[in-house]
Amino acid sequence: MRLSVPRPPTTGHFADLVMQVEALRNEVTRATECADVQLLETAAGRRRSLQNLHAYLALRSHDLRPLQEGLDRLGLASFDHAEPHVLASLEAVLTNLYLLDGRKVNPAILPDPFADFDAGPALLLQNTTRLLGPAAGLRRTRIMVTLPTEVADDSLLLQALLSAGMDCARINCAYGDQSLWARIITRVREAERITGLACRVFMDLRGPKLRTGPMELEPAVLKIRPLRAPNGNVLRPARVWLTADGARPPAHDIADACLALDAGWLQQATPGDRIRLRDARGSNRTWRIVARQDGGCWAEARKTSYLVNGTALNLLRGKGQKLATTQLISLPPRPSRIALRSGDLLYLAYGDTPGKPSLRGLDGQVLRPGTIPLAVPEVFRDARAGEAIGFDDGRISGVIEKADSEMLQVRIAHTRRPLEKLGGDKGVNLPESVLNLPALGRDDLDDLDFVTQEADIIGLSFTNSAADVRFLQQRLRELGRTDIGVILKVETQRGCANLPDILLEAMRFPSCGVMIARGDLAAECGFERLPEIQEDILRLCAAAHLPVIWATGVLEGLAR
């Protein structure tokens, strides 16, 4: 069997491709020369990165598909991964085309085209190390951990995190205050000294995050349920820790619920006794005392119980001898939430007056729509009827039907589950509204002096424009901390649209990176567009040789 060998393209075909690539190279070269006007204000060592970013922006302004189809036929590399070394990629393709066309490569016009291929990745590694520190061992990535507030009093947890590979500790300034942050940083530095491992501290300014305000309090209901198999059989009874002084259960034990009870009543309880109660649904339940320990005792429940303040707990022994009775009074009230279905009405009110849940009739119809506050006046000034609005990272979305300076009337269009509940401190997204919000709010400006003194890196949340970056630069100059690392968080449609200008402005920072806040981006742009958007961000940052942090539940999602 003879193989048919296709004929090589004609010389004219090569010549046409040569002309196209030459024209593209010349335009990209001019773009890099235009970058020179910004070089004087750019941080030292950024010249190549700035020129390469301009080259990439010039390259992506063209539809390269027809040219790429011609190059694919010749087995030449595509431009899909040219971001770190745009001009070098074009010159490598052009060199190969010259050789295929039988031409000599003129070193004066095309110097060694392969010499710069390693420069881009080397600059990215250098910038990553400058911002986040050296990588551990053979690992190329850095691990950033958002610290819970509990680490302020838990040095062992921080030592364990450092030993497990944490390179950067993130403090979210949306929670806590300066005294809490100072305690956390003290613990981080202690853990560094004890383990001998280095860790950068990243303090993430809260920015103009839109979050719902407080809701009215309602009586708490505590649900205690055993672990069941899919067929309903009990795999493990619910374990209830009973204590008189609020003592936590021993560290090695897991409690499904903790109850603070009368000390005299609890003193009489011994293993083998039973607790009989009528729960909030009117169901009779019996628990069994199984053990006593310092600070309290353990009870087990094989059926689900619903407890409220005022629930009577009867302590029984033997064949039903009642030893004592006490009432549960320790459950704190909890914030109410608004139950929402598609088609429901919701009111978003300006201010911080606690919101009210919706009121429904016996047939399930809404008699009074729920109201939830938002203390951001710019929203009520700038939002318009007909614009989209989302809550809780896209779990609930709707359309603004009416808008004024005091209230937004929202019609719910979609809920992720048939019934969703909206409470306080949940994110609000207005992807179609043009909100004139500063990247640094009043609280951020108050915190900035502390943050620049204590942190290695600061995060600019909701970076929407180059003007936001310039404002931060000005504040850092005033505070004398132009050397601090900066991470620009991209989490809005405006931020994505303005990212080229944002990155050009960011070149003035000596140490800088970008964080893709996937949760807010998905709520703003839609989950279906998230892969496309984050790929575009990654490409732009690769062209600028800037490290990227992939954030918000990525590892959690993989683990689940």
Side-chain angles (χ1 to χ4, degrees):
M1 180 178 178
R2 296 180 62 186
L3 295 175
S4 61
V5 179
R7 291 184 178 182
T10 64
T11 302
H13 180 78
F14 287 130
D16 182 57
L17 285 176
V18 167
M19 288 175 56
Q20 292 183 59
V21 177
E22 281 181 336
L24 188 59
R25 173 184 175 269
N26 292 338
E27 184 173 337
V28 167
T29 302
R30 285 194 297 272
T32 63
E33 293 168 353
C34 291
D36 288 347
V37 298
Q38 292 186 330
L39 290 178
L40 293 177
E41 297 180 355
T42 301
R46 295 279 195 200
R47 180 189 185 97
R48 274 188 165 178
S49 299
L50 182 66
Q51 289 177 326
N52 191 70
L53 179 56
H54 275 282
Y56 176 64
L57 294 174
L59 185 71
R60 66 185 260 159
S61 67
H62 293 270
D63 181 2
L64 298 176
R65 288 172 295 180
L67 174 59
Q68 189 58 59
E69 289 174 4
L71 296 175
D72 286 342
R73 294 174 184 272
L74 303 176
L76 295 178
S78 70
F79 299 120
D80 283 347
H81 304 289
E83 296 88 2
H85 33 63
V86 175
L87 197 55
S89 298
L90 282 168
E91 291 179 344
V93 170
L94 194 54
T95 298
N96 284 311
L97 283 174
Y98 281 168
L99 295 173
L100 287 170
D101 200 33
R103 306 187 193 186
K104 290 185 178 181
V105 179
N106 185 347
I109 300 175
L110 280 178
D112 182 2
F114 307 106
D116 286 339
F117 267 87
D118 294 331
L123 284 169
L124 175 58
L125 177 60
Q126 173 186 310
N127 291 335
T128 304
T129 302
R130 184 183 295 134
L131 180 68
L132 298 171
L138 299 177
R139 172 159 54 85
R140 292 179 58 198
T141 57
R142 277 54 165 193
I143 299 174
M144 177 182 289
V145 178
T146 299
L147 298 181
T149 57
E150 289 81 3
V151 299
D153 303 304
D154 194 342
S155 296
L156 293 178
L157 175 57
L158 277 168
Q159 294 171 36
L161 288 171
L162 275 170
S163 300
M166 177 176 69
D167 300 295
C168 184
R170 173 177 177 258
I171 298 174
N172 187 351
C173 295
Y175 302 96
D177 54 26
Q178 293 183 13
S179 61
L180 174 66
W181 305 334
R183 286 164 52 210
I184 292 175
I185 293 170
T186 299
R187 297 289 176 268
V188 172
R189 300 311 183 199
E190 287 176 356
E192 284 185 290
R193 288 194 296 272
I194 292 170
T195 62
L197 300 170
C199 180
R200 301 285 169 96
V201 173
F202 168 40
M203 297 191 71
D204 196 347
L205 299 172
R206 69 197 78 193
K209 175 73 172 178
L210 307 182
R211 304 193 78 88
T212 56
M215 293 291 295
E216 283 185 341
L217 298 179
E218 63 181 13
V221 178
L222 178 63
K223 182 180 181 180
I224 301 174
R225 59 181 175 182
L227 179 64
R228 296 184 182 273
N231 62 4
N233 291 334
V234 175
L235 297 176
R236 176 182 64 76
R239 290 172 53 78
V240 186
W241 173 248
L242 308 176
T243 179
D245 56 5
R248 299 174 64 180
H252 61 277
D253 285 317
I254 297 175
D256 296 299
C258 300
L259 300 179
L261 301 175
D262 176 71
W265 182 94
L266 193 61
Q267 187 64 36
Q268 301 179 59
T270 60
D273 290 348
R274 288 160 292 148
I275 300 173
R276 185 166 295 166
L277 59 97
R278 183 183 292 272
D279 76 358
R281 297 185 304 171
S283 299
N284 292 317
R285 295 288 182 258
T286 300
W287 302 349
R288 185 172 295 277
I289 305 292
V290 295
R292 285 197 68 94
Q293 286 180 292
D294 291 341
C297 62
W298 288 99
E300 290 186 347
R302 299 187 63 83
K303 292 185 177 181
T304 301
S305 307
Y306 292 83
L307 304 185
V308 296
N309 284 328
T311 298
L313 305 179
N314 301 298
L315 185 63
L316 307 179
R317 183 170 295 166
K319 295 185 178 180
Q321 176 189 0
K322 183 187 291 188
L323 298 180
T325 299
T326 189
Q327 283 193 337
L328 182 63
I329 58 173
S330 60
L331 298 180
R334 63 180 185 184
S336 59
R337 294 187 295 170
I338 303 173
L340 293 168
R341 297 181 176 88
S342 179
D344 283 352
L345 203 60
L346 172 70
Y347 290 114
L348 196 64
Y350 170 58
D352 52 12
T353 301
K356 298 177 181 291
S358 55
L359 181 64
R360 294 181 182 270
L362 296 177
D363 58 356
Q365 295 298 311
V366 176
L367 303 178
R368 183 195 68 203
T371 301
I372 197 162
L374 179 67
V376 182
E378 291 86 352
V379 168
F380 300 87
R381 181 194 65 198
D382 298 334
R384 298 290 182 266
E387 294 175 341
I389 187 170
F391 301 92
D392 197 6
D393 287 339
R395 300 179 71 89
I396 301 165
S397 59
V399 177
I400 300 171
E401 290 187 336
K402 296 180 181 178
D404 59 39
S405 60
E406 298 293 331
M407 189 84 69
L408 299 183
Q409 178 179 303
V410 177
R411 182 70 61 180
I412 303 302
H414 172 76
T415 55
R416 195 172 301 178
R417 294 180 296 185
L419 178 67
E420 289 284 359
K421 293 186 177 180
L422 179 62
D425 199 33
K426 297 299 180 184
V428 180
N429 294 94
L430 291 146
E432 299 172 2
S433 304
V434 180
L435 302 179
N436 293 307
L437 290 168
L440 291 173
R442 185 180 298 109
D443 291 333
D444 297 318
L445 294 174
D446 291 341
D447 294 333
L448 197 56
D449 186 38
F450 174 88
V451 170
T452 53
Q453 291 182 43
E454 301 293 336
D456 303 300
I457 311 167
I458 64 172
L460 183 64
S461 296
F462 296 92
T463 309
N464 288 323
S465 67
D468 294 336
V469 182
R470 284 193 292 272
F471 184 56
L472 176 61
Q473 290 167 345
Q474 175 190 336
R475 296 295 298 170
L476 293 178
R477 281 195 297 269
E478 293 170 359
L479 294 169
R481 280 307 312 270
T482 54
D483 60 323
I484 196 168
V486 175
I487 290 175
L488 306 174
K489 294 177 64 179
V490 180
E491 39 200 326
T492 65
Q493 289 198 51
R494 282 183 63 204
C496 292
N498 294 328
L499 188 56
D501 290 334
I502 289 171
L503 295 183
L504 290 170
E505 194 66 40
M507 292 290 183
R508 293 188 170 93
F509 291 119
S511 179
C512 184
V514 169
M515 178 182 285
I516 304 177
R518 288 161 44 90
D520 282 293
L521 264 183
E524 279 263 329
C525 306
F527 287 90
E528 67 281 357
R529 290 197 59 213
L530 184 60
E532 163 205 344
I533 290 170
Q534 72 182 18
E535 184 67 21
D536 192 49
I537 296 172
L538 289 168
R539 287 176 182 272
L540 281 164
C541 292
H545 306 139
L546 293 179
V548 177
I549 299 164
W550 212 32
T552 313
V554 176
L555 294 180
E556 180 186 15
L558 291 173
R560 288 185 177 181

